[in-house]
Amino acid sequence: MSKTILVTGGSRGIGRAVAILCGKRGWRVAITYVSNDAAARETVAAIEAAGGRGLAIKADAAKLDDVAMAFDATEKAFGAVDGFVNNAGIATQVSKLADKDPQEIARLVEINVLGALYGAREAARRMSRSRGGKGGVIVNMSSAAARLGMPGEGVDYAASKGSMDTLTYGLSKELAPEGVRVNAVRPGMIATDIHAAMGAPDRAERLGKTVPIGREGTADEVAEGVVWLLSDAASYVAGAVLDVTGGR
Ligand code: NAP
């Protein structure tokens, strides 16, 4: 069955890979992004080249009005959202917590915690059957950091992802009776731009060697798990947190 999917932070990295894989299934895919217009355009072209329909929406996940606007624009172009991928996220510069910049921590919490809650809230309002919705699926993008803690590098980031797991456990129970399945994916060390943004461009390759599988993962490998959770093949899966970590 064809679906309408909204992926936050879909212009680059894991969100982009999810969007393109949804496109391969022939689904309609809206992506949000915050600043990189060129990357967003390229992702839409890749979704369409893969066989789907694509739409890019500039919307800051941390702004409530932008979140509502992104759902409105998606519904207008493609119909009601069947799958919401709560993916937009950032990390702070690698350091111990005592040395972190408080402003960076504030922005992290705004996007990774507040933004994720805004996104999940909006999806719940629109998908819940008791509110006139037709059900759906939410996939929250957590991280292995939620259970590893990232000591010395990013305990602030790890704590923000711990909130994704907890959100998933609670909301999955709240929304299952509403026809909405809520799950999470916990990627491990994945080669994307996020490591350079943390000031450690070689991080995924370097730490990938310590992963039981012996290497870092790819965004495409994470996307496989996300798209499975979005699909009807996962119709009895709710409240699950899927590790895509190479055994880490
Ligand atoms: P990335 O390559 O840095 O891409 C980040 C994406 O999020 C971009 O599309 C960016 O848009 C968008 N974005 C950033 N801030 C946003 C905001 N306020 N509103 C809307 N979109 C925003 O990151 P990634 O590695 O793919 O990470 C994606 C998710 O996976 C994050 O939640 C991250 O925490 C999680 N994760 C990543 C890893 C890893 O190793 N890579 C591991 C575990 C979990 P622009 O292009 O406009 O900047």
Side-chain angles (χ1 to χ4, degrees), residues 8-16 32-37 39-40 57-63 86-91 107 111-112 141-145 157 160-161 164 185-195 197 203-204 219 222:
T8 65
S11 52
R12 291 183 291 119
I14 292 169
R16 172 186 159 90
T32 69
Y33 67 106
V34 72
S35 65
N36 196 329
D37 300 310
I57 306 159
K58 196 172 202 164
D60 187 338
K63 293 189 177 146
N86 209 0
N87 169 75
I90 62 164
R107 184 63 180 153
I111 298 172
N112 294 15
M141 195 57 65
S142 178
S143 168
Y157 173 81
S160 77
K161 291 301 178 177
M164 274 306 221
V185 171
R186 271 198 302 229
M189 199 57 67
I190 309 300
T192 70
D193 298 343
I194 202 169
H195 309 285
R203 185 170 174 268
V222 179

Side-chain angles (χ1 to χ4, degrees), residues 109-161:
V109 171
E110 257 179 35
I111 298 172
N112 294 15
V113 180
L114 196 56
L117 288 169
Y118 285 164
R121 173 183 179 272
E122 200 62 41
R125 291 167 74 87
R126 295 181 191 233
M127 291 175 174
S128 293
R129 287 188 183 137
S130 65
R131 293 169 177 262
K134 60 180 173 108
V137 185
I138 298 172
V139 179
N140 291 321
M141 195 57 65
S142 178
S143 168
R147 58 179 168 70
L148 297 173
M150 275 177 84
E153 286 197 302
V155 297
D156 52 347
Y157 173 81
S160 77
K161 291 301 178 177

